[in-house]
Amino acid sequence: MSLAPAADSAETAMAKVSLCFMPLVLAIILLSATHSEQHQSSQAQTLLRIVRFLNFPTVLNSWNNYKDLCNFEANSSLAVVCYEENITQLHIIGEKDAPLLPRNFSIDSFITTLVKLPSLKVLTLVSIGLWGPLPGKIARLSSLEILNLTSNFLYGAIPLELSSLTTLQTLILDDNMFSGPLPDLLSSLPVLAVLSLKKNLFNSSLPISLSDLENLRVLGLSHNHFYGEVPDFSRLTNLQVLELENNAFGPQFPKLGKKLVTLVLSKNKFRSAIPAEISSYYQLERLDVSSNMFVGPFPASLLSLPSMTYLNFSGNKFTGMLFENMSCDAELKAVDLSSNLLTGSLPKCLLSDSKDRVVLYARNCLDTRNQNQHPFPFCRNEALAVGIIPERSKQKQASKAALALGLIGAICGGVVLVGLIYFIHRRMNTNKTMKKSPPRSITENASSGYTSKLLSDARYVSQTMKMGALGLPGYRTFSFEELEEATQNFDTCTFMGEGSHGQMYRGQLKDGSFVAIRCLKIKGSHSTQNFMHHIELIMKLRHRHLVSALGHCFECYLDDSSVSRIFLVFEYVPNGTLRSWISEGHRRRSLTWTQRIAAAIGIGKGIQFLHTGIIPGIYSNNLKITDILLDQNLVAKISSYNLPILEESMEQGGQGVSSGGSLTSSGGSRMKHDDRTDVHNFGVILLEMIKGRPVKSETQVEVLEDQLEVALTADEAARRSMVDPLVRQTCLDQSLKTLMEICVRCLCKDPADRPSIDDVLWNLQYAEQVQDAWQGGESQSSEGSPVSPSIPSRLTY
């Protein structure tokens, strides 16, 4: 009996079933695509409503013709950052001193529109004319991590609803008109690290609850009307910046931790002595206590603190004798001792150690004819007038008086018994009152700390806009199947190499774009949540001069869902390494001199972003010329840098994946001058770009560095003899000399003698400008920003 008809019948039935379900599958696909398009359209409409609320400012003109807002081209005034098609960062920075928005503007309606972007993590609205009381409904943006509303016209109290933002790390409300007391509920923000309320109208004492913000690193309250004692901040063990300038705090010096880097107490009402413990604040770089009424001996040991660069004691009543043989730290750049009661001789180290140091000491009684000194009796008499009597001495005097009165009462007997009882009763009340009054202690106790440097200045927020869209797709999560398809199941023909950063594969996505995929193998048992903090940092590694991150993928074990591998997806840069365009003779595709300067500027901007564009900064990146890739437009991109991943899991689980280098320690602290390690490596790269031949050993670096130094002091012909012959006749001598100077300074053996990356960039842009002017081109930098031809180059050491 034949089974063929039955088989045919079964196949026919299956085909019919498949055809029946096909419309449903197509409908699901169409609905998914429609939902995604509707979601993006909804966000775009919200942004356009924001434009209308802000009265169509010039900086938002480009939004009128949006195509893909998640790939919107960021600039210094406007940036939009997306993650998985949701807007997570919005930055709008208007013109300086922008006027108020029109009278029909409603801050309440504006915030109501803004909260329709619920995935916002970073919100920067600076100098755009916002006015009115800040509505509490802004707390509906429950994922906010950074909120910056600087330079607007917001007034009234800080809304209590902000205390519900448990993920808020940075709150900056500088240069507004907020008033009233600080809410106690600020202490309920568990991860708040930066609180800056400068230039407002707050008028109250500080709540004691501020001392509960254990993660606080920066507290800026300058230029307000705060008053009274500063709370005990010795428990704020992470506090590194405290700025209280121009208020009415006092009279006692505040109790602080030992990790402070910047302390500004100027223009207040402090009247105590400086506690001896401040001499052990070894991380302190900037101390300003000027324009108060501080008294007592001048703490000369502060002059020799190892990190101190700026010291201002002017306008107080400090006493004591200075001596010529006192020591000073070489890093000290500015000292102001003016308008005190100091005598003796100015320490020689203040005047002889550094020619660049600024030292002011007028209106004291020092043994010098310089800077308008008072006669010695003036300081002696003034010092007697402001002497401090310790509380213990007062109590001893009171006890003696009570004893004397008791003896008198015993002699007088019953005649004056009633009067004596009345007198003793009053005296006892006086003693109780004295015991209740706070002691005027001269010494303070402070908690111990560890070596730490401050997170890079005020760039914490402003640099985040540089993470925006760069013509790249938005950062997203990839499926493992996508990566398998892109690499042909990780075929060996797609394998690019293996190192301390894991295995690297080249892949091609469905849209035809190429990507680089790094595979990190995980040891131990860790869930995906263990890595999300690091993934959020990797999301920020998007910059014009970095090989930027595009997404990630977790591969997990089936039995316990722990992570077995992490795949990090980066943009693919196909145009070879910088060395292949500079010094590899067998495939010579030489860059011109102008292109070499542009590449150097790009590398410098990439380093600057790694140091200051994300928190914590990434240092000691072990940069090599083979790690610099060029894209199709010859834009330089750093391809190897320290990935901020798995450090926590390595500590918890014992083993993890080495990311190939060091990251700043928890909280962004770093050793002094460790940013200059990358500056040195940059100098080696610059050396090869000038010479045009590979530099492969430290001995070779030292020899070539010596040759550059000799050439710098010789004539133009000697300098040109050092340059790659292919560009020797096309480089202007001033441009060449500037690059040689930068290179030599970057290669200094002492990290403290190397320039900052900011100064390196400044000089490179100067070299580019004079080169362009000589060639008859427009005087502009590689990024298009004008540079004045009259500005000389600079190097700060």
Side-chain angles (χ1 to χ4, degrees), residues 281-443:
Y281 289 15
Y282 297 119
Q283 311 311 313
L284 195 59
E285 294 180 1
R286 181 182 179 89
L287 175 62
D288 188 350
V289 298
S290 61
S291 301
N292 282 282
M293 287 290 288
F294 280 110
V295 296
F298 169 70
S301 56
L302 296 179
L303 295 172
S304 57
L305 281 181
S307 300
M308 188 70 73
T309 60
Y310 179 89
L311 195 59
N312 192 343
F313 276 72
S314 64
N316 286 285
K317 299 291 183 181
F318 288 108
T319 58
M321 180 175 290
L322 302 183
F323 299 95
E324 290 184 346
N325 60 353
M326 287 180 171
S327 60
C328 313
D329 189 75
E331 292 291 326
L332 199 56
K333 301 300 181 185
V335 180
D336 193 349
L337 306 177
S338 306
S339 300
N340 281 286
L341 305 173
L342 302 173
T343 60
S345 301
L346 194 71
K348 289 183 177 180
C349 62
L350 288 179
L351 301 177
S352 60
D353 280 359
S354 173
K355 295 180 180 179
D356 297 327
R357 181 179 294 153
V358 176
V359 181
L360 303 175
Y361 48 91
R363 295 177 296 281
N364 282 282
C365 300
L366 296 171
D367 186 17
T368 177
R369 296 182 180 180
N370 297 329
Q371 296 194 20
N372 187 24
Q373 301 298 310
H374 294 299
F376 176 80
F378 173 86
C379 291
R380 181 186 59 191
N381 294 336
E382 289 291 316
L384 291 174
V386 297
I388 297 178
I389 301 176
E391 189 69 24
R392 187 175 297 178
S393 299
K394 290 186 178 180
Q395 291 176 348
K396 287 183 179 180
Q397 292 174 2
S399 300
K400 291 179 180 178
L403 179 60
L405 288 173
L407 291 173
I408 294 172
I411 295 173
C412 294
V415 178
V416 292
L417 181 60
V418 175
L420 180 60
I421 292 173
Y422 174 74
F423 184 83
I424 292 175
H425 177 72
R426 286 189 62 186
R427 201 63 187 172
M428 290 175 65
N429 285 340
T430 300
N431 286 338
K432 288 180 180 179
T433 301
M434 293 181 66
K435 290 179 180 178
K436 290 178 183 178
S437 63
R440 298 175 65 182
S441 174
I442 295 178
T443 60

Side-chain angles (χ1 to χ4, degrees), residues 54 90 93 146 200 211 284-285 465 550 735 748 783:
L54 299 180
L90 175 61
I93 300 178
I146 298 175
N200 279 283
S211 60
L284 195 59
E285 294 180 1
M465 68 184 59
L550 303 180
S735 174
C748 286
E783 297 291 335

Side-chain angles (χ1 to χ4, degrees), residues 46-343:
T46 298
L47 293 180
L48 290 178
R49 282 195 291 270
I50 289 174
V51 173
R52 288 195 291 271
F53 271 110
L54 299 180
N55 200 30
F56 301 96
T58 305
V59 297
L60 300 184
N61 282 346
S62 52
W63 268 355
N64 294 330
N65 298 313
Y66 71 90
K67 293 182 180 178
D68 182 0
L69 57 89
C70 286
N71 285 317
F72 179 81
E73 184 66 29
N75 56 56
S76 60
S77 299
L78 180 63
V80 179
V81 179
C82 297
Y83 175 59
E84 295 187 341
E85 300 182 348
N86 292 309
I87 296 177
T88 58
Q89 296 188 33
L90 175 61
H91 306 266
I92 306 175
I93 300 178
E95 300 288 341
K96 186 179 180 182
D97 300 324
L100 278 80
L101 290 170
R103 292 181 63 181
N104 61 355
F105 170 77
S106 169
I107 185 70
D108 188 76
S109 299
F110 176 75
I111 297 298
T112 300
T113 301
L114 196 62
V115 298
K116 293 180 180 178
L117 301 173
S119 298
L120 274 180
K121 291 189 175 185
V122 179
L123 178 60
T124 301
L125 302 173
V126 173
S127 194
I128 56 176
L130 299 177
W131 61 270
L134 183 62
K137 66 179 67 176
I138 196 172
R140 295 177 189 173
L141 296 171
S142 57
S143 298
L144 268 185
E145 297 176 359
I146 298 175
L147 176 60
N148 182 6
L149 303 177
T150 297
S151 297
N152 287 290
F153 303 90
L154 301 171
Y155 56 80
I158 295 178
L160 297 177
E161 290 85 347
L162 283 182
S163 61
S164 65
L165 296 175
T166 56
T167 60
L168 193 64
Q169 300 174 22
T170 297
L171 177 60
I172 303 178
L173 304 176
D174 295 345
D175 198 11
N176 280 281
M177 297 183 292
F178 288 104
S179 59
L182 290 187
D184 273 321
L185 291 176
L186 283 178
S187 62
S188 61
L189 300 174
V191 294
L192 190 66
V194 178
L195 176 60
S196 188
L197 308 173
K198 302 174 186 175
K199 295 184 180 180
N200 279 283
L201 302 173
F202 291 107
N203 185 16
S204 69
S205 58
L206 296 184
I208 298 176
S209 58
L210 278 180
S211 60
D212 295 329
L213 295 171
E214 60 183 18
N215 290 302
L216 196 64
R217 297 181 176 279
V218 177
L219 179 59
L221 304 176
S222 301
H223 301 282
N224 279 283
H225 304 292
F226 291 115
Y227 57 82
E229 294 284 1
V230 179
D232 184 349
F233 287 157
S234 59
R235 289 190 298 156
L236 299 182
T237 55
N238 291 308
L239 188 64
Q240 295 176 311
V241 173
L242 179 61
E243 296 176 324
L244 305 180
E245 179 185 9
N246 201 5
N247 283 283
F249 290 116
Q252 297 296 318
F253 192 96
K255 295 182 179 180
L256 306 168
K258 292 185 178 180
K259 289 168 58 179
L260 277 170
V261 175
T262 297
L263 176 59
V264 180
L265 304 178
S266 57
K267 298 180 182 177
N268 279 282
K269 295 185 177 181
F270 293 105
R271 291 178 169 270
S272 66
I274 301 292
E277 284 80 2
I278 198 172
S279 297
S280 62
Y281 289 15
Y282 297 119
Q283 311 311 313
L284 195 59
E285 294 180 1
R286 181 182 179 89
L287 175 62
D288 188 350
V289 298
S290 61
S291 301
N292 282 282
M293 287 290 288
F294 280 110
V295 296
F298 169 70
S301 56
L302 296 179
L303 295 172
S304 57
L305 281 181
S307 300
M308 188 70 73
T309 60
Y310 179 89
L311 195 59
N312 192 343
F313 276 72
S314 64
N316 286 285
K317 299 291 183 181
F318 288 108
T319 58
M321 180 175 290
L322 302 183
F323 299 95
E324 290 184 346
N325 60 353
M326 287 180 171
S327 60
C328 313
D329 189 75
E331 292 291 326
L332 199 56
K333 301 300 181 185
V335 180
D336 193 349
L337 306 177
S338 306
S339 300
N340 281 286
L341 305 173
L342 302 173
T343 60

